[in-house]
Amino acid sequence: MAIERSWCVVPAAGRGARFGADRPKQYVALAGRPLIEWTLDRLAATPCIAGIVVVLAAGDTGWRARERIGDTPLLTATGAGERSGSVLAGLRALPREVGDDAFVLVHDAARPCVRSDDIARLVEHGAAAGGGLLAAPVRDTLKRADGETRVAATEPREARWRALTPQLFRRGELVAALERAQAEGITITDESMAMERAGHRPLLVEGAESNIKVTTPADLALAEYLLSREWGMGNGEWGMGNGE
């Protein structure tokens, strides 16, 4: 069965304050290149992605402007101070031919190790289910803390998943869900949360544990290790020429 091709919105307007660098996190060097370059190269090398919209902060001076990555069209939009506003800006910047019923992906700029085969499975199974997201089952024992950072309880880990990206939803439904959350003053931490609040039940599609989000310097070191391991194994997907 042919897999539908979808556009991908990449919110990259945040400052990454928790990372503690002198520049936005997406421009921190990872294996000799800005982190976001690895992410965009991986997306552009994924056959089921038709194009990419990168959402930038107003006045962003770190962005290297271009119209394509390889054969994949690349657009930009100006984001907002919070994730939901930036994703909305990206959704509104999609080409006219991407209608309200079209499925679109949203992927974190700081997840450079996402696997192309995971994205393909998400598009295939998520679209059939009306929407979905990559996720990983929780395997560690979970503890709930009290106000003094002592263990208050051990939480069951059965049926618990960690949300990853990309996440896949119909453009019109996601716009409506995000706009509703904004109007109600709700802080949205991922697109699935907005869709859940609007009554949807997204499909959880298991993705690789290596699809980490770079939030701290330790995460950056792990991402570099994962990238170097892939490259050292001769996997051509990690080639460095696609974004040049």
Side-chain angles (χ1 to χ4, degrees), residues 27 38-39 47 55 68 83 115-116 127 144 152 163 170 172 222:
Y27 298 125
W38 290 100
T39 302
V55 187
R68 309 184 76 83
R83 182 187 178 91
R115 296 175 58 95
S116 293
R144 177 162 48 86
R170 294 189 189 276
L222 177 56

Side-chain angles (χ1 to χ4, degrees), residues 10-208:
V10 179
R15 297 181 56 86
R18 284 180 293 175
F19 192 86
D22 60 354
R23 68 196 70 183
K25 176 177 59 178
Q26 58 269 25
Y27 298 125
V28 169
L30 171 60
R33 308 171 67 207
L35 186 158
I36 193 172
E37 297 287 344
W38 290 100
T39 302
L40 296 179
D41 270 4
R42 174 47 59 96
L43 296 174
T46 301
C48 62
I49 290 183
I52 302 169
V53 178
V54 180
V55 187
L56 305 169
D60 187 317
T61 59
W63 175 248
R64 181 169 66 88
R66 63 269 203 208
E67 296 181 354
R68 309 184 76 83
I69 301 179
D71 295 328
T72 303
L74 180 66
L75 305 176
T76 59
T78 300
E82 73 291 331
R83 182 187 178 91
S84 62
S86 292
V87 173
L88 275 171
L91 293 170
R92 291 165 179 158
L94 288 166
R96 186 173 300 176
E97 62 266 23
V98 183
D100 282 347
D101 287 338
F103 282 98
V104 296
L105 295 154
V106 181
H107 184 62
D108 295 329
R111 289 188 187 272
C113 300
V114 63
R115 296 175 58 95
S116 293
D117 55 350
D118 280 356
I119 299 175
R121 286 191 303 102
L122 172 63
V123 171
E124 179 181 1
H125 298 294
L133 64 151
L134 288 182
V138 172
R139 295 183 171 90
D140 296 321
T141 298
L142 294 177
K143 302 295 184 181
R144 177 162 48 86
D146 62 15
E148 298 178 345
T149 324
R150 295 180 180 274
V151 174
T154 298
E155 301 286 353
R157 63 188 173 193
E158 292 74 17
R160 302 292 198 274
W161 293 64
R162 293 187 297 109
L164 310 174
T165 68
Q167 302 190 1
L168 177 83
F169 299 105
R170 294 189 189 276
R171 179 187 187 183
E173 292 177 346
L174 182 54
V175 167
L178 291 171
E179 288 179 340
R180 176 179 174 181
Q182 279 192 344
E184 296 175 355
I186 304 298
T187 299
I188 296 298
T189 56
D190 74 347
E191 292 63 53
S192 179
M193 177 181 174
M195 296 294 284
E196 294 158 34
R197 296 189 71 261
H200 298 271
R201 297 180 61 203
L203 179 70
L204 294 163
V205 178
E206 185 169 355

